[in-house]
Amino acid sequence: MRRVTTSEESPATRRTVLCGAALAALGLTAAACGGAGSDDAEGPEKPVDLGEAEAVPVGGAKLYPEQKMLVSQPGKGDFKGFSAVCTHQGSLLGEVDGDVAVCPLHGSRFHVDTGKVAHGPATEALPSVPVKVRDGKLVAGPES
């Protein structure tokens, strides 16, 4: 006698296993990279101490990966703060290269003094985050 199986009982095919693995990998990548709408994109929810103000060069910028912040100093004592989360797919910016901050995921570049896109694929500027100097130290975030 021949047994009839339903789709629930049929063994997994190689295609099914590979498709499942691919979807799982995509899910993990999306989770690890965040998204353009991720909560971290706007910056810290409470004031965050970034350390000595002199660590940010005049005419340059510094990334603070742990705090997900980018701080520039276009002119002496004039500090600008931005989220260091790329607006394209939510990856953390990887380095400052002259007057731009670079996302390692797809190569988006942002002007460090304005947060505006210098080179895509990102199309939206980095969100601005308030930065103040208190006792020679940078403090970023709301009510900083």
Side-chain angles (χ1 to χ4, degrees), residues 3-4 9 16 23 27 32 45 49-50 57 59 68 70 72 75 87 95 97 106 109 115 123-125 128 133-134 139:
R3 181 179 170 175
V4 176
E9 297 174 337
T16 303
L23 289 173
E45 293 180 13
D49 181 9
L50 300 176
K68 299 180 182 175
L70 168 68
S72 66
T87 58
E95 68 174 325
D97 183 13
H106 294 115
R109 294 172 170 262
T123 58
E124 294 180 37
S128 181
V133 179
R134 286 193 192 139
V139 180

Side-chain angles (χ1 to χ4, degrees), residues 24-140:
L26 285 174
L28 291 174
T29 300
C33 294
S38 97
D39 293 337
D40 296 336
E42 299 300 320
E45 293 180 13
K46 59 184 180 179
V48 175
D49 181 9
L50 300 176
E52 299 297 324
E54 64 188 28
V56 179
V58 176
K62 177 177 167 91
L63 279 170
Y64 295 88
E66 189 172 307
Q67 295 85 0
K68 299 180 182 175
M69 287 287 306
L70 168 68
V71 178
S72 66
Q73 188 177 188
K76 185 158 179 66
D78 178 26
F79 293 92
K80 308 284 183 182
F82 304 96
S83 167
V85 178
C86 181
T87 58
H88 176 236
Q89 287 193 335
S91 182
L92 192 60
L93 300 178
E95 68 174 325
V96 173
D97 183 13
D99 63 349
V100 294
V102 183
C103 177
L105 191 59
H106 294 115
S108 290
R109 294 172 170 262
F110 300 89
H111 293 285
V112 297
D113 58 344
T114 64
K116 292 182 180 177
V117 177
H119 184 274
T123 58
E124 294 180 37
L126 297 171
S128 181
V129 177
V131 175
K132 302 272 190 237
V133 179
R134 286 193 192 139
D135 300 323
K137 296 189 182 236
L138 292 174
V139 180

Side-chain angles (χ1 to χ4, degrees), residues 4-12:
V4 176
T5 61
T6 65
S7 61
E8 291 177 3
E9 297 174 337
S10 62

